[in-house]
Amino acid sequence: MALRDSTSEPDDRGDGDGDMSGEEEKKLAAKPLLSGPGPSPSPSAETQAQESVEELDRRYAPYARRDAYGTMGRGPLGAAEAARLAVGAAVLFPLRLAAGVLVLVAYYLVCRVCTLRVEEDREDGEGEGYARLEGWRREGVVRCGRALARAMLFVFGFYWIREYDCRFPDAADEDEHQEQDKELGRPGIVVSNHVSYVDILYHMSSSFPSFVAKRSVARLPMVGLISKCLGCIFVQRESKTSDFKGVSGAVTERIQRAHRQKNSPMMLLFPEGTTTNGDYLLPFKTGAFLAKAPVKPVILRYPYKRFSPAWDSMSGARHVFLLLCQFVNYLEVVHLPVYYPSEQEKEDPRLYANNVRKLMAVEGNLILSDLGLAEKRVYHAALNGNSLPRALHQKDD
């Protein structure tokens, strides 16, 4: 499921397609990469390779892992950590995997019942979904979805979630903000920093928003029906139909609808366009801010001692395995007040996006970075010994 904000202009950094100008490719090509597989290196060569990894971690700091498992989750483990991993793999992993499948099947059955004899809502002439379920059907999908999403987080080891509301320091300001809420309406979208696929489960358990997903997700077993009930916007950029509005138009329309209609699900977008290690905030794309509607900023943090839940520089299968093997995982959430754009911000989505980004960085104690998805691909290519052109033009699913 592609849940990143892929609705901004083509020149935004970190575009989902990985397209870059010739000048950007030359700059990235000038950066040294690790050498690929070859003969066994000498001790001095191993030292140089280690230094190269450390240099890469400094250069691409937002994507570098600094937990006990090291770069790509393949670092050397001490005896105590290896023993913990062995116990987790033998006991926790199979139990949690089975429990996770049961939760998924349970929600699929709920969605199946709630969509009986209901026609799919086709917003763009060839899309598909159940974005406008009403009455008991919508109530069942939302209530069960929130409860089972929290159950899935519990299965993943997130037994406690600490949530904080960032309040106004002055009571008068708080009253003024509440009056503004009534006058200007509800936010149409939740914007969040992106650290892990776990982010999605949390937001489902909290506000149950709609997402943006590739059209192929709608055809997946079980997950396809669930994503339709979530009200996902299914996109296919290669669509040739004349009435296809595109990602940006569909998302903007859905945000405006959620802003105007109380019963319409809010959208959730990750404006960074990719995940980080949780310490940084990348440049925001403007797709979440084109609708000129107020936004609800949310900051997610994953404190850890040994394994970091951040999905930054390792394969998905390995990450899920290590996450399920960890005895306890932690999540902290900071809810910021609804951000109402000024007239100037409404006319300039880039200004709107930058101001929200700066606010989230200050309140979340996050470091602002100028890197994007293109640099992340180069970093991953270097770690895997792949060539630069292949990393630059690889499509992101």
Side-chain angles (χ1 to χ4, degrees), residues 34-287:
L34 288 178
S35 59
S40 299
S42 63
S44 60
E46 290 180 355
T47 303
Q48 292 175 358
Q50 182 63 32
E51 291 174 352
S52 298
V53 171
E54 292 175 354
E55 181 181 349
L56 283 168
D57 286 349
R58 287 194 297 271
R59 181 178 300 153
Y60 301 105
Y63 316 118
R65 296 190 69 83
R66 298 183 177 85
D67 60 6
Y69 287 77
T71 303
M72 301 180 71
R74 298 176 181 173
L77 299 179
E81 187 61 34
R84 292 191 190 96
L85 181 59
V87 173
V91 179
L92 289 178
F93 179 75
L95 290 176
R96 286 175 168 175
L97 185 62
V101 171
L102 288 176
V103 171
L104 181 64
V105 171
Y107 193 44
Y108 169 77
L109 295 176
V110 170
C111 292
R112 177 59 67 188
V113 170
C114 291
T115 55
L116 288 174
R117 300 182 181 180
V118 177
E119 294 185 3
E120 295 185 18
D121 174 28
R122 299 177 180 272
E123 296 185 327
D124 55 20
E126 63 171 308
E128 51 189 336
Y130 296 95
R132 303 181 187 180
L133 288 175
E134 298 179 349
W136 67 269
R137 300 177 187 272
R138 175 66 183 171
E139 192 74 11
V141 166
V142 172
R143 287 184 177 274
C144 293
R146 293 183 63 176
L148 291 175
R150 183 63 186 90
M152 186 68 84
L153 285 170
F154 190 90
V155 168
F156 274 45
F158 294 91
Y159 307 124
W160 305 277
I161 298 177
R162 296 183 178 180
E163 301 191 56
Y164 307 92
D165 284 326
C166 186
R167 302 290 185 181
F168 287 95
D170 193 302
D173 290 339
E174 182 70 27
D175 293 338
E176 181 180 347
H177 181 73
Q178 292 178 355
E179 291 297 324
Q180 192 176 34
D181 282 348
K182 296 178 181 178
E183 180 180 353
L184 299 180
R186 69 195 290 252
I189 183 170
V190 176
V191 292
S192 172
N193 63 319
H194 201 9
V195 184
S196 173
Y197 48 82
V198 179
D199 304 347
I200 302 165
L201 289 174
Y202 169 75
H203 286 294
M204 283 183 62
S205 70
S206 176
S207 55
F208 204 79
S210 297
F211 306 104
V212 175
K214 290 180 62 177
R215 180 151 297 147
S216 59
V217 172
R219 296 187 289 271
L220 294 175
M222 291 197 294
V223 175
L225 178 62
I226 291 174
S227 63
K228 293 175 186 179
C229 289
L230 289 172
C232 288
I233 296 177
F234 298 105
V235 298
Q236 181 174 325
R237 294 182 180 181
E238 297 81 7
S239 175
K240 298 295 190 296
T241 57
S242 58
D243 58 350
F244 182 72
K245 297 185 291 295
V247 184
S248 181
V251 169
T252 298
E253 180 180 307
R254 184 71 69 82
I255 294 173
Q256 291 173 343
R257 184 197 306 169
H259 173 51
R260 296 190 303 265
Q261 302 175 7
K262 182 178 180 181
N263 295 328
S264 182
M266 288 193 296
M267 286 294 299
L268 167 67
L269 288 179
F270 301 107
E272 295 170 283
T274 189
T275 55
T276 68
N277 58 18
D279 296 328
Y280 292 78
L281 201 60
L282 307 181
F284 278 10
K285 295 184 179 184
T286 57

Side-chain angles (χ1 to χ4, degrees), residues 274-347:
T274 189
T275 55
T276 68
N277 58 18
D279 296 328
Y280 292 78
L281 201 60
L282 307 181
F284 278 10
K285 295 184 179 184
T286 57
F289 308 92
L290 295 174
K292 305 179 181 181
V295 300
K296 174 67 177 177
V298 177
I299 303 166
L300 304 179
R301 295 192 292 246
Y302 294 85
Y304 64 92
K305 294 182 179 179
R306 291 184 292 274
F307 175 75
S308 169
W311 188 26
D312 34 42
S313 64
M314 70 169 64
S315 68
R318 185 176 183 81
H319 189 278
V320 171
F321 172 75
L322 294 176
L323 185 68
L324 293 180
C325 288
Q326 184 154 255
F327 290 87
V328 182
N329 292 298
Y330 301 94
L331 172 59
E332 295 179 352
V333 184
V334 179
H335 297 272
L336 300 183
V338 177
Y339 190 104
Y340 295 93
S342 64
E343 291 302 320
Q344 185 179 7
E345 289 171 328
K346 290 180 180 179
E347 297 304 319

Side-chain angles (χ1 to χ4, degrees), residues 319-387:
H319 189 278
V320 171
F321 172 75
L322 294 176
L323 185 68
L324 293 180
C325 288
Q326 184 154 255
F327 290 87
V328 182
N329 292 298
Y330 301 94
L331 172 59
E332 295 179 352
V333 184
V334 179
H335 297 272
L336 300 183
V338 177
Y339 190 104
Y340 295 93
S342 64
E343 291 302 320
Q344 185 179 7
E345 289 171 328
K346 290 180 180 179
E347 297 304 319
D348 187 352
R350 194 175 296 277
L351 174 65
Y352 187 6
N354 288 337
N355 287 345
V356 173
R357 177 177 178 244
K358 292 175 182 177
L359 174 66
M360 292 176 65
V362 171
E363 297 297 336
N365 195 26
L366 301 173
I367 304 170
L368 294 176
S369 171
D370 291 332
L371 301 185
L373 181 57
E375 288 83 358
K376 183 177 185 178
R377 286 180 175 146
V378 173
Y379 174 60
H380 287 183
L383 294 178
N384 289 290
N386 295 332
S387 62

